[in-house]
mmCIF file of all heavy atoms in Angstrom:
data_model
loop_
_atom_site.group_PDB
_atom_site.id
_atom_site.type_symbol
_atom_site.label_atom_id
_atom_site.label_comp_id
_atom_site.label_asym_id
_atom_site.label_seq_id
_atom_site.Cartn_x
_atom_site.Cartn_y
_atom_site.Cartn_z
ATOM 1 N N PRO A 77 61.006 -69.802 107.350
ATOM 2 C CA PRO A 77 62.348 -70.414 107.387
ATOM 3 C C PRO A 77 63.447 -69.515 106.829
ATOM 4 O O PRO A 77 64.585 -69.591 107.272
ATOM 5 C CB PRO A 77 62.173 -71.680 106.528
ATOM 6 C CG PRO A 77 60.734 -72.021 106.688
ATOM 7 C CD PRO A 77 60.020 -70.694 106.750
ATOM 8 N N ASN A 78 63.115 -68.632 105.881
ATOM 9 C CA ASN A 78 64.139 -67.785 105.267
ATOM 10 C C ASN A 78 64.123 -66.350 105.802
ATOM 11 O O ASN A 78 64.730 -65.464 105.216
ATOM 12 C CB ASN A 78 63.961 -67.755 103.746
ATOM 13 C CG ASN A 78 62.697 -67.014 103.336
ATOM 14 O OD1 ASN A 78 61.650 -67.145 103.955
ATOM 15 N ND2 ASN A 78 62.796 -66.225 102.284
ATOM 16 N N THR A 79 63.442 -66.105 106.913
ATOM 17 C CA THR A 79 63.374 -64.755 107.467
ATOM 18 C C THR A 79 63.749 -64.742 108.945
ATOM 19 O O THR A 79 63.662 -65.757 109.636
ATOM 20 C CB THR A 79 61.958 -64.139 107.336
ATOM 21 O OG1 THR A 79 61.047 -64.878 108.146
ATOM 22 C CG2 THR A 79 61.486 -64.102 105.906
ATOM 23 N N ARG A 80 64.123 -63.548 109.395
ATOM 24 C CA ARG A 80 64.364 -63.331 110.819
ATOM 25 C C ARG A 80 63.844 -61.950 111.191
ATOM 26 O O ARG A 80 64.174 -60.951 110.545
ATOM 27 C CB ARG A 80 65.847 -63.416 111.177
ATOM 28 C CG ARG A 80 66.418 -64.812 111.147
ATOM 29 C CD ARG A 80 65.719 -65.716 112.177
ATOM 30 N NE ARG A 80 66.214 -67.062 112.134
ATOM 31 C CZ ARG A 80 65.690 -68.048 111.404
ATOM 32 N NH1 ARG A 80 64.664 -67.818 110.613
ATOM 33 N NH2 ARG A 80 66.205 -69.254 111.452
ATOM 34 N N LEU A 81 63.058 -61.925 112.242
ATOM 35 C CA LEU A 81 62.564 -60.675 112.801
ATOM 36 C C LEU A 81 63.649 -60.110 113.699
ATOM 37 O O LEU A 81 64.163 -60.797 114.583
ATOM 38 C CB LEU A 81 61.287 -60.923 113.607
ATOM 39 C CG LEU A 81 60.717 -59.734 114.358
ATOM 40 C CD1 LEU A 81 60.283 -58.640 113.390
ATOM 41 C CD2 LEU A 81 59.557 -60.168 115.228
ATOM 42 N N SER A 82 63.995 -58.854 113.466
ATOM 43 C CA SER A 82 65.065 -58.224 114.228
ATOM 44 C C SER A 82 64.583 -56.901 114.807
ATOM 45 O O SER A 82 64.305 -55.960 114.072
ATOM 46 C CB SER A 82 66.277 -58.003 113.319
ATOM 47 O OG SER A 82 67.329 -57.426 114.051
ATOM 48 N N GLU A 83 64.487 -56.870 116.109
ATOM 49 C CA GLU A 83 64.116 -55.643 116.808
ATOM 50 C C GLU A 83 65.323 -54.705 116.833
ATOM 51 O O GLU A 83 66.460 -55.136 116.617
ATOM 52 C CB GLU A 83 63.658 -55.969 118.237
ATOM 53 C CG GLU A 83 62.420 -56.851 118.308
ATOM 54 C CD GLU A 83 61.148 -56.172 117.814
ATOM 55 O OE1 GLU A 83 61.109 -54.924 117.736
ATOM 56 O OE2 GLU A 83 60.188 -56.890 117.509
ATOM 57 N N PRO A 84 65.111 -53.413 117.101
ATOM 58 C CA PRO A 84 66.232 -52.464 117.135
ATOM 59 C C PRO A 84 67.332 -52.914 118.098
ATOM 60 O O PRO A 84 67.053 -53.359 119.207
ATOM 61 C CB PRO A 84 65.596 -51.166 117.617
ATOM 62 C CG PRO A 84 64.149 -51.291 117.291
ATOM 63 C CD PRO A 84 63.832 -52.753 117.388
ATOM 64 N N GLY A 85 68.567 -52.841 117.631
ATOM 65 C CA GLY A 85 69.713 -53.150 118.477
ATOM 66 C C GLY A 85 69.930 -54.625 118.770
ATOM 67 O O GLY A 85 70.725 -54.962 119.635
ATOM 68 N N THR A 86 69.260 -55.520 118.047
ATOM 69 C CA THR A 86 69.419 -56.950 118.310
ATOM 70 C C THR A 86 70.228 -57.629 117.212
ATOM 71 O O THR A 86 70.400 -57.103 116.120
ATOM 72 C CB THR A 86 68.057 -57.668 118.426
ATOM 73 O OG1 THR A 86 67.377 -57.588 117.177
ATOM 74 C CG2 THR A 86 67.205 -57.047 119.529
ATOM 75 N N THR A 87 70.697 -58.821 117.540
ATOM 76 C CA THR A 87 71.385 -59.679 116.586
ATOM 77 C C THR A 87 70.607 -60.979 116.479
ATOM 78 O O THR A 87 70.219 -61.558 117.494
ATOM 79 C CB THR A 87 72.829 -59.958 117.041
ATOM 80 O OG1 THR A 87 73.531 -58.713 117.102
ATOM 81 C CG2 THR A 87 73.543 -60.896 116.095
ATOM 82 N N VAL A 88 70.369 -61.409 115.248
ATOM 83 C CA VAL A 88 69.670 -62.663 114.989
ATOM 84 C C VAL A 88 70.557 -63.535 114.118
ATOM 85 O O VAL A 88 71.469 -63.037 113.459
ATOM 86 C CB VAL A 88 68.300 -62.417 114.301
ATOM 87 C CG1 VAL A 88 67.368 -61.659 115.221
ATOM 88 C CG2 VAL A 88 68.464 -61.679 112.981
ATOM 89 N N THR A 89 70.302 -64.831 114.134
ATOM 90 C CA THR A 89 71.074 -65.730 113.283
ATOM 91 C C THR A 89 70.137 -66.479 112.345
ATOM 92 O O THR A 89 68.986 -66.771 112.681
ATOM 93 C CB THR A 89 71.903 -66.747 114.092
ATOM 94 O OG1 THR A 89 71.030 -67.529 114.888
ATOM 95 C CG2 THR A 89 72.939 -66.051 114.947
ATOM 96 N N LEU A 90 70.663 -66.782 111.180
ATOM 97 C CA LEU A 90 69.940 -67.528 110.166
ATOM 98 C C LEU A 90 70.860 -68.657 109.691
ATOM 99 O O LEU A 90 71.738 -68.442 108.857
ATOM 100 C CB LEU A 90 69.548 -66.613 109.000
ATOM 101 C CG LEU A 90 68.773 -67.235 107.853
ATOM 102 C CD1 LEU A 90 67.441 -67.812 108.320
ATOM 103 C CD2 LEU A 90 68.524 -66.187 106.767
ATOM 104 N N PRO A 91 70.705 -69.858 110.277
ATOM 105 C CA PRO A 91 71.527 -70.986 109.832
ATOM 106 C C PRO A 91 71.034 -71.476 108.472
ATOM 107 O O PRO A 91 69.845 -71.738 108.296
ATOM 108 C CB PRO A 91 71.320 -72.047 110.913
ATOM 109 C CG PRO A 91 70.242 -71.546 111.808
ATOM 110 C CD PRO A 91 69.832 -70.190 111.379
ATOM 111 N N TRP A 92 71.957 -71.587 107.525
ATOM 112 C CA TRP A 92 71.537 -71.823 106.141
ATOM 113 C C TRP A 92 72.561 -72.649 105.383
ATOM 114 O O TRP A 92 73.766 -72.453 105.529
ATOM 115 C CB TRP A 92 71.382 -70.469 105.447
ATOM 116 C CG TRP A 92 70.502 -70.531 104.258
ATOM 117 C CD1 TRP A 92 70.903 -70.657 102.949
ATOM 118 C CD2 TRP A 92 69.094 -70.501 104.231
ATOM 119 N NE1 TRP A 92 69.803 -70.700 102.127
ATOM 120 C CE2 TRP A 92 68.675 -70.595 102.893
ATOM 121 C CE3 TRP A 92 68.111 -70.392 105.224
ATOM 122 C CZ2 TRP A 92 67.345 -70.605 102.519
ATOM 123 C CZ3 TRP A 92 66.785 -70.386 104.851
ATOM 124 C CH2 TRP A 92 66.419 -70.496 103.506
ATOM 125 N N ARG A 93 72.066 -73.581 104.566
ATOM 126 C CA ARG A 93 72.922 -74.310 103.635
ATOM 127 C C ARG A 93 72.641 -73.754 102.240
ATOM 128 O O ARG A 93 71.516 -73.797 101.754
ATOM 129 C CB ARG A 93 72.650 -75.817 103.653
ATOM 130 C CG ARG A 93 73.618 -76.558 102.716
ATOM 131 C CD ARG A 93 73.473 -78.075 102.753
ATOM 132 N NE ARG A 93 72.131 -78.496 102.385
ATOM 133 C CZ ARG A 93 71.296 -79.148 103.195
ATOM 134 N NH1 ARG A 93 71.652 -79.437 104.437
ATOM 135 N NH2 ARG A 93 70.105 -79.503 102.783
ATOM 136 N N PHE A 94 73.650 -73.224 101.608
ATOM 137 C CA PHE A 94 73.520 -72.624 100.281
ATOM 138 C C PHE A 94 73.693 -73.711 99.229
ATOM 139 O O PHE A 94 74.794 -73.951 98.742
ATOM 140 C CB PHE A 94 74.518 -71.479 100.112
ATOM 141 C CG PHE A 94 74.147 -70.283 100.937
ATOM 142 C CD1 PHE A 94 74.590 -70.155 102.243
ATOM 143 C CD2 PHE A 94 73.309 -69.309 100.417
ATOM 144 C CE1 PHE A 94 74.216 -69.060 103.010
ATOM 145 C CE2 PHE A 94 72.931 -68.214 101.182
ATOM 146 C CZ PHE A 94 73.385 -68.090 102.477
#
Side-chain angles (χ1 to χ4, degrees):
N78 69 319
T79 66
R80 287 298 178 268
L81 175 64
S82 181
E83 298 292 341
T86 64
T87 298
V88 295
T89 60
L90 180 61
W92 202 263
R93 183 176 59 243
F94 289 89

